[in-house]
Amino acid sequence: TLDALLLPPAAAVAHLPQIMVSAVEAARLRHGNPVQPVQVPRAPVIAILDPQGELIGIGRSEDGASLLPDRILRPSTHGAGHD
């Protein structure tokens, strides 16, 4: 199938600093809210991953403490019965 040939979205941003956030933090980011994870890279562009390692979007940290969402992807429907 075509899905077997596609790379996961996280592969496109593998060169960026990454942070894995909790499910609660992911939900906040998906609604456009900043979060304060335990450790956030201080960088102008950060790949944000959910607890399963799926890319949820791109964000930034200006102060090294808060993670601000810039571009958030729609949640995946893969495996939810959608084709």
Side-chain angles (χ1 to χ4, degrees), residues 1-70:
T1 67
L2 182 58
D3 284 345
L5 300 174
L6 297 175
L7 294 174
V13 294
H15 63 287
L16 296 176
Q18 298 183 354
I19 184 167
M20 187 173 288
V21 297
S22 70
V24 171
E25 290 167 332
R28 287 186 50 80
L29 289 162
R30 284 188 173 114
H31 286 97
N33 297 306
V35 297
Q36 294 181 326
V38 173
Q39 188 174 11
V40 58
R42 188 173 189 162
V45 181
I46 303 167
I48 306 169
L49 308 174
D50 69 11
Q52 290 76 39
E54 299 286 327
L55 180 69
I56 65 167
I58 302 295
R60 62 182 153 56
S61 178
E62 296 171 350
D63 60 7
S66 296
L67 181 60
L68 308 165
D70 283 328

